Amino acid sequence: MFSPLSSGTKNSPGFDQAARNVACMVELLSQAKVPPERLNPLAFYVAAPKEQIDSGLFSQQLSPFSVRVKVEERVRAYGGEKDKWFEEWFLPTLAVMKIASLSWEDLAAQAGPEYQEFYKWCEKFNQPQSQKQIAVTVRS
């Protein structure tokens, strides 16, 4: 709950979690032959604590420019094999896709009081690593 998006994979260190997920969504559309403009809205959201969103933790990875650059780098690794996919599917999809973050607090508030209560429990048992270390130190 309080972790950042992954920055890459073993085989592709710069292909971060946001770029991978957006590319996977585009690949599904291409395999199904569903043009992106048929899906309105089409979006990729990261749900995270408001504190993390407000700190800018996801801003860079969720920028369409960043996603494009990282997917383009990954496509280049295929030596031209994925260029057509990139031009015909990825770029048009990215042009209409919304990429953003949503706070868990806002989502819970919209869902109702029982979800807000559940979120409070999630916060209690999924503290940021620094708070867990403080809690352990205090108990010692």
Side-chain angles (χ1 to χ4, degrees), residues 33-53:
K33 298 185 179 13
V34 175
E37 56 276 359
R38 282 195 38 212
L39 301 174
N40 187 13
L42 176 60
F44 170 71
Y45 291 109
V46 170
K50 184 175 181 358
E51 176 184 327
Q52 285 185 302
I53 293 168

Side-chain angles (χ1 to χ4, degrees), residues 66-82:
S66 173
V67 170
R68 178 193 169 135
V69 167
K70 290 169 183 166
V71 172
E72 194 168 17
E73 286 175 13
R74 185 70 175 133
V75 163
R76 263 191 253 123
Y78 286 87
E81 185 182 320
K82 301 286 184 184

Side-chain angles (χ1 to χ4, degrees), residues 8 23-24 125 132:
C24 285
F125 293 106
K132 286 181 184 175

Side-chain angles (χ1 to χ4, degrees), residues 43-102:
F44 170 71
Y45 291 109
V46 170
K50 184 175 181 358
E51 176 184 327
Q52 285 185 302
I53 293 168
D54 290 348
S55 76
L57 181 64
F58 308 109
S59 299
Q60 197 277 328
Q61 286 180 304
L62 295 181
S63 79
F65 177 77
S66 173
V67 170
R68 178 193 169 135
V69 167
K70 290 169 183 166
V71 172
E72 194 168 17
E73 286 175 13
R74 185 70 175 133
V75 163
R76 263 191 253 123
Y78 286 87
E81 185 182 320
K82 301 286 184 184
D83 291 354
K84 184 176 178 182
W85 172 87
F86 185 78
E87 292 294 326
E88 293 181 4
W89 284 97
F90 183 79
L91 292 177
T93 303
L94 187 63
V96 299
M97 179 182 276
K98 180 175 182 164
I99 301 173
S101 55
L102 299 171

